[in-house]
Amino acid sequence: MVSPHRNQSSAVVIILLGFSEYPELQVPLFLLFLSIYAVTVMGNVGMIVVIKINPKLQTPMYFFLKHLSLVDFCYSTIVVPKLLGNLVVEDRSVSIKACITQFSFGVTCVMTEMVMLAVMAYDRFVAICYPLLYTVYMSPKHCALLVSVAYSWGIVSSIVLIYSILLLSFCETKIINNFVCEYSVFLSATCSDKHFSEIMLFIFVNLGAFCTLIIILTSYLFIFVTILKMHSASGRYKAFSTCASHLTAVTIFYGTIVFLYCIPNSKNSWLLVKVASVFYLVVIPMLNPLIYSLRNKDVKETFRKIMDLKIIFH
């Protein structure tokens, strides 16, 4: 049932403290996060452009990577500008509506990325375990369908979680020791029963993480078994090298999530929680294009050509 105090919620604001308890670090942190955001934008947009213009990269793996870069770019753009703003202004308040808007786009990107990483693991599974059927299983139609599933899950998850938030009431201004509008912010700020919202959060977050992680682990189990059965050492190295970048990205993504949510929720751990959250929300979108580009000659060569063209035009 919708709370009768709903009308009061629209006038309530949330104050995100961010890193305000470290005033001497405001400028250094602003410059650091601005630099990370610049690298993130250039890296992800550059990856999309490189995949688009290089004929050698018109494969399912890079089709999925292009969408992963798009999700990372959008997610970083949702989180970092607000974080930068909180570092340079004294008024760190944000309305409930603005906070919900940021959260809705953010959760869409996170849930989409989870499924996209699972889809990319499945792609590597088919490529290594069933190479002769790869073009059949990973046809353009099937690839488009898999990407649609990823975006659909992100959108559905966002809609359900936003609905559970809209059932809550917010009766007074709330000070939150955080720098981004995540679900815990609304649970901390509400003055109504949050049991239903907590259940929805538990179901959708755990369902998404569990299902995608099972797909990834199962895919790599079959991949490793297939690689071990190969008689050629060069063949094993080539097969493993095609998975190395994705496996690195998956390890960082899920490793950070596990680390973040295994930290005790106490006052003494808030700094550690913030550092882990920064890595998860800000740094990972920057790392993904670097991870995939450093091990790929075609990507690096195309990047180099683009930079050479810029130098010529200048």
Side-chain angles (χ1 to χ4, degrees):
M1 182 176 177
V2 179
S3 170
H5 299 290
R6 173 65 53 80
N7 292 334
Q8 297 179 20
S9 298
S10 59
V12 175
V13 297
I14 292 175
I15 300 175
L16 298 174
L17 292 181
F19 296 91
S20 58
E21 66 266 42
Y22 307 102
E24 70 281 1
L25 295 179
Q26 299 297 293
V27 174
L29 286 175
F30 177 85
L31 295 176
L32 175 63
F33 294 145
L34 181 61
S35 301
I36 291 175
Y37 181 59
V39 174
T40 301
V41 172
M42 289 188 294
N44 286 288
V45 173
M47 182 66 74
I48 295 171
V49 172
V50 164
I51 294 173
K52 190 77 174 177
I53 66 177
N54 192 334
K56 295 181 180 179
L57 302 180
Q58 305 307 308
T59 63
M61 181 177 71
Y62 289 101
F63 174 75
F64 298 134
L65 179 56
K66 179 173 65 177
H67 285 277
L68 182 66
S69 295
L70 176 62
V71 172
D72 281 335
F73 166 75
C74 292
Y75 191 42
S76 182
T77 301
I78 291 165
V79 173
V80 180
K82 180 61 179 176
L83 172 58
L84 293 174
N86 280 354
L87 289 170
V88 296
V89 298
E90 293 185 2
D91 183 9
R92 296 178 173 87
S93 61
V94 57
S95 68
I96 288 292
K97 290 183 179 179
C99 212
I100 291 176
T101 301
Q102 185 191 49
F103 172 77
S104 65
F105 286 111
V107 75
T108 300
C109 292
V110 171
M111 294 298 190
T112 300
E113 180 154 348
M114 278 188 181
V115 181
M116 201 71 71
L117 289 172
V119 167
M120 295 173 76
Y122 172 73
D123 171 72
R124 292 299 84 205
F125 159 72
V126 176
I128 293 174
C129 300
Y130 300 98
L132 298 180
L133 297 175
Y134 183 69
T135 56
V136 177
Y137 288 157
M138 304 306 295
S139 65
K141 183 178 180 180
H142 288 168
C143 291
L145 179 61
L146 291 171
V147 168
S148 299
V149 169
Y151 285 116
S152 298
W153 174 250
I155 293 171
V156 169
S157 300
S158 177
I159 291 174
V160 172
L161 292 178
I162 290 301
Y163 173 74
S164 70
I165 290 174
L166 293 177
L167 295 178
L168 300 173
S169 305
F170 306 94
C171 305
E172 59 183 8
T173 297
K174 193 76 174 181
I175 299 176
I176 304 294
N177 196 3
N178 208 327
F179 62 88
V180 65
C181 292
E182 60 178 12
Y183 208 83
S184 61
V185 169
F186 303 107
L187 295 181
S188 299
T190 184
C191 58
S192 60
D193 182 21
K194 54 189 177 182
H195 183 65
F196 175 76
S197 300
E198 290 175 330
I199 293 176
M200 289 297 100
L201 175 67
F202 178 83
I203 291 175
F204 273 84
V205 172
N206 285 280
L207 180 64
F210 178 76
C211 291
T212 54
L213 197 54
I214 287 295
I215 293 172
I216 292 170
L217 293 176
T218 304
S219 297
Y220 274 106
L221 176 62
F222 283 103
I223 288 171
F224 288 142
V225 170
T226 302
I227 291 176
L228 291 176
K229 290 180 179 180
M230 294 179 179
H231 299 292
S232 170
S234 61
R236 288 196 297 268
Y237 175 78
K238 183 178 180 181
F240 181 76
S241 64
T242 62
C243 303
S245 297
H246 178 259
L247 193 56
T248 302
V250 167
T251 302
I252 293 174
F253 183 81
Y254 282 95
T256 306
I257 291 177
V258 170
F259 176 77
L260 183 60
Y261 287 99
C262 283
I263 298 173
N265 188 17
S266 64
K267 293 181 180 179
N268 293 332
S269 68
W270 267 114
L271 177 59
L272 195 57
V273 169
K274 287 183 183 180
V275 172
S277 298
V278 165
F279 189 82
Y280 169 56
L281 301 171
V282 180
V283 178
I284 287 180
M286 176 192 69
L287 291 179
N288 282 341
L290 297 177
I291 291 170
Y292 283 98
S293 61
L294 289 176
R295 296 184 59 88
N296 189 289
K297 293 181 180 179
D298 292 326
V299 173
K300 288 191 289 187
E301 182 182 347
T302 308
F303 265 121
R304 194 179 299 112
K305 289 180 179 179
I306 293 175
M307 295 305 298
D308 290 342
L309 286 174
K310 287 183 178 180
I311 292 173
I312 291 173
F313 284 124
H314 281 301

